[in-house]
Amino acid sequence: MNKLAALLATMVIIQGSAVFAAAEAGYPPYTKKQLYAKHDLRGKSAPKLNVTEWLNGAAPDTKGKVVLLDFWATWCGPCEELVPELNQYKKKFGNDLAIIGITDETAKDVEKFRKRTPIDYDIALAPNQEMYEAIGISGIPHCLVISADGIVRWQGFPPMDEDELTEEKLAQIIQESKKQEAKTATP
């Protein structure tokens, strides 16, 4: 019985430390929630950015920046509702945040959508769906917020009540990411 109690206590400490470590490092803690994805990537390395075309020209510069990936579609009502908020984030955080909308649709469909709904951030096409499959996305919009060190700091459905993606959370991730980058840059 003592061994079982010690094992359980160790498991609680380890689990508590993982959440505490994220909070201690200054990043938002990971909340238990429905992700609408097979793979919970929070605290893990982000998947490789694998797209076939950039509608804004070249790939954006993401070095030293927090990156918000938004998996979306033109036919998705909640995705369309999220666009003005993402535009606002882009305006507020400027060069500290790279926002990339990723869709498996055609350039023609996206351009038609953009005529009625302006998008102020980068859009990439991924018709091969390799990134969708790597994450196991089962519902959109689905976002990943990735710190400059390539670690996923937030994942999920942005307007979800349990763990909404807010301007405050993004600011916290950006601020902590900058602190961590400064520490690693200092000899």
Side-chain angles (χ1 to χ4, degrees):
M1 184 70 164
N2 286 341
K3 286 183 181 179
L4 178 59
L7 177 62
L8 288 174
T10 302
M11 289 172 63
V12 168
I13 290 168
I14 289 170
Q15 286 181 331
S17 295
V19 171
F20 178 74
E24 183 180 21
Y27 292 107
Y30 305 132
T31 303
K32 184 176 172 120
K33 63 182 178 178
Q34 173 68 41
L35 285 178
Y36 300 100
K38 290 179 188 171
H39 307 293
D40 185 350
L41 300 178
R42 296 173 294 174
K44 299 175 184 161
S45 293
K48 182 179 179 269
L49 192 57
N50 185 0
V51 300
T52 57
E53 183 179 349
W54 292 95
L55 296 187
N56 302 62
D61 177 20
T62 59
K63 185 170 175 51
K65 297 181 184 182
V66 169
V67 177
L68 189 158
L69 300 180
D70 172 36
F71 294 87
W72 70 289
T74 61
W75 50 263
C76 166
C79 299
E80 186 169 5
E81 290 173 16
L82 184 61
V83 169
E85 194 169 339
L86 295 178
N87 285 340
Q88 181 181 343
Y89 294 157
K90 182 63 183 160
K91 184 176 181 179
K92 174 159 180 81
F93 297 113
N95 286 329
D96 292 332
L97 178 67
I99 301 176
I100 302 170
I102 299 174
T103 183
D104 61 358
E105 297 179 273
T106 66
K108 182 179 176 182
D109 288 339
V110 173
E111 291 307 328
K112 184 177 171 184
F113 175 87
R114 289 172 80 176
K115 285 181 181 169
R116 74 172 192 272
T117 307
I119 297 176
D120 300 333
Y121 47 89
D122 293 293
I123 299 294
L125 303 183
N128 57 15
Q129 292 198 340
E130 286 180 23
M131 290 192 70
Y132 289 79
E133 291 168 11
I135 300 165
I137 294 173
S138 61
I140 55 173
H142 189 87
C143 290
L144 301 178
V145 180
I146 306 160
S147 53
D149 60 1
I151 303 298
V152 176
R153 302 296 177 178
W154 191 94
Q155 177 182 359
F157 182 70
M160 181 173 272
D161 290 338
E162 294 90 345
D163 185 27
E164 184 177 1
L165 180 59
T166 62
E167 187 175 298
E168 292 78 20
K169 280 186 187 161
L170 277 174
Q172 182 181 3
I173 293 168
I174 290 167
Q175 181 180 0
E176 187 58 31
S177 185
K178 283 181 172 184
K179 280 185 199 174
Q180 297 301 323
E181 284 287 298
K183 283 181 186 177
T184 58
T186 306

